[in-house]
Amino acid sequence: MSIKQLAGGDERIVRRYEYEDSWVLAADVGVADEDLDVDIVGTTAIVVAETGEEVSEAEFELPGSDASVATNNGVLTITVEK
């Protein structure tokens, strides 16, 4: 397993895990699950978070297009099978 970690200007933590059979992106987005929307377009994940009147958007390049998305208590997980 290989792990990479990034922190943006707002100190949100994003980790990328690479396993033998899959690649996982885990991000602490810090918003309620119902305020988070994720679309996969080709090999790009588009994440939109609504917090009150403010809307934030982020894009992540994925290593493939066969991705599954899950959210739990403000943590976004995107899994791509190899």
Side-chain angles (χ1 to χ4, degrees):
M1 174 177 71
S2 127
I3 300 173
K4 292 188 179 180
Q5 180 171 315
L6 308 166
D10 58 0
E11 298 305 314
R12 298 276 188 232
I13 294 175
V14 177
R15 287 189 178 160
R16 185 178 74 189
Y17 301 91
E18 189 171 336
Y19 300 99
E20 287 182 26
D21 61 345
S22 63
W23 180 91
V24 177
L25 175 81
D28 179 3
V29 292
V31 299
D33 296 351
E34 59 270 6
D35 296 333
L36 190 63
D37 187 35
V38 181
D39 289 321
I40 306 294
V41 178
T43 59
T44 302
I46 302 168
V47 181
V48 178
E50 294 183 41
T51 53
E53 306 241 344
E54 193 173 320
V55 176
S56 300
E57 182 178 316
E59 293 184 9
F60 299 98
E61 281 301 314
L62 305 175
S65 59
D66 185 23
S68 62
V69 177
T71 58
N72 187 16
N73 292 327
V75 176
L76 167 67
T77 306
I78 301 172
T79 304
V80 178
E81 300 299 322
K82 288 186 180 178

